[in-house]
Amino acid sequence: MIPRATRDALDPTTSPEAATDPFDGEVTLYLRTGVSDVARDRQRAVLARLDQLVAEGTIGSVRTIQWNQKARVPADGPPPEAAACYDEFVEAVGAGALQPFFQERPGIGRLERVIVPPAVCLAVRDGDELLEVYPRYDDGAHRSVEDGIAALAEESAY
């Protein structure tokens, strides 16, 4: 079971015991552009905490990707990366689990659909397998990005 986050999950001065072997899967942090100052501060705090986990040897590395405010999916072309990730997440956990964090609307004209991603999203993969995605709902319980960070900080979480 993935533990609930605490304030310590984002506190860079709090140092949980580092795992003896770092998680060697892929940890990806997605940050939406054009967010408010409050959301930008949260993005920085999340990134700082993940960087701390890397420095402690708990995780191997963090890949950071910026998403536009909206992913406009053309009817006759490849989807942007944010839409492709959203589709991967939907396949793994279902569209309902990602609402209201991701918003999907039908497109107009030459657009098939428009996806608005959350300000901060965390994905944990082992090879091609998506292990976790945050934020989401899991059996009615909210799983925040901070929950994901707390799970990564736990030695036996993955």
Side-chain angles (χ1 to χ4, degrees):
M1 175 172 215
I2 298 169
R4 295 287 301 154
T6 64
R7 287 187 158 266
D8 293 341
L10 285 180
D11 184 358
T13 62
T14 302
S15 178
E17 291 182 25
T20 54
D21 293 322
F23 172 70
D24 62 353
E26 181 179 312
V27 177
T28 307
L29 179 65
Y30 300 96
L31 303 173
R32 190 180 75 209
T33 60
V35 297
S36 68
D37 289 342
V38 172
R40 191 173 307 109
D41 289 345
R42 180 170 176 240
Q43 289 175 336
R44 288 182 185 133
V46 166
L47 183 57
R49 181 64 177 119
L50 289 170
D51 285 344
Q52 181 186 13
L53 292 179
V54 171
E56 293 171 351
T58 305
I59 58 177
S61 64
V62 176
R63 185 173 159 223
T64 304
I65 296 175
Q66 287 197 334
W67 282 341
N68 290 328
Q69 288 181 314
K70 296 178 183 175
R72 294 169 175 88
V73 182
D76 58 353
E81 182 177 11
C85 285
Y86 172 73
D87 292 340
E88 175 192 14
F89 301 160
V90 166
E91 187 174 316
V93 300
L98 298 173
Q99 301 298 327
F101 314 108
F102 286 84
Q103 298 172 7
E104 182 177 16
R105 299 187 298 250
I108 298 172
R110 295 172 21 142
L111 293 179
E112 177 184 314
R113 59 193 170 127
V114 176
I115 297 164
V116 179
V120 182
C121 180
L122 183 69
V124 180
R125 295 178 179 86
D126 187 11
D128 291 335
E129 180 185 0
L130 178 68
L131 300 176
E132 296 288 347
V133 62
Y134 304 91
R136 71 171 196 285
Y137 277 99
D138 184 15
D139 292 328
H142 176 242
R143 302 291 183 224
S144 68
V145 170
E146 292 78 7
D147 291 328
I149 292 170
L152 287 168
E154 293 286 321
E155 282 188 50
S156 61
Y158 295 100

